[in-house]
Amino acid sequence: MPANPKYLTQSKWQRFAKITAAILGGYFVSVTFHLALASWFNRANILMTMAFSGFILWVALMVVAFLAKSGWKIWGIYILLTFVFSLFIYLGQTYNPTAQ
């Protein structure tokens, strides 16, 4: 039984934005989140854990991207989260160099 067309995204640009946000944006958020944790805590433990929890987080962020109404809005949220986690990475490497 096919999906009801009224629930599908009609715009090609919205569809493109959601797909790229799900794949690329979700990956960037997942990686920067784990690297931010690694810059504050034991790097080896966090990066080993990232092999499993990073994939789970990435899939969860993919689902969130497709549930969003606007692909551009979810891209904005993912870019903002990536920059926030990048700031935590910078601060962690600056103020906590012993975690390396």
Side-chain angles (χ1 to χ4, degrees):
M1 182 169 167
N4 192 342
K6 72 178 183 179
Y7 295 115
L8 300 177
T9 303
Q10 300 298 321
S11 170
K12 301 283 186 200
W13 286 110
Q14 283 296 320
R15 190 175 305 149
F16 175 75
K18 286 182 182 183
I19 291 171
T20 56
I23 295 171
L24 294 175
Y27 179 76
F28 292 152
V29 172
S30 177
V31 168
T32 55
F33 172 73
H34 283 90
L35 289 177
L37 287 177
S39 67
W40 287 95
F41 301 108
N42 187 354
R43 183 178 302 258
N45 291 343
I46 297 294
L47 293 180
M48 288 301 293
T49 305
M50 184 182 158
F52 301 104
S53 63
F55 181 72
I56 293 169
L57 179 61
W58 186 25
V59 170
L61 291 169
M62 282 185 185
V63 170
V64 168
F66 286 112
L67 290 176
K69 290 280 187 189
S70 171
W72 304 116
K73 185 176 179 181
I74 200 71
W75 251 121
I77 292 170
Y78 284 176
I79 289 173
L80 179 68
L81 285 173
T82 300
F83 283 134
V84 167
F85 292 143
S86 297
L87 177 68
F88 287 152
I89 293 168
Y90 173 75
L91 293 174
Q93 291 177 351
T94 303
Y95 295 113
N96 192 20
T98 58
Q100 301 176 22

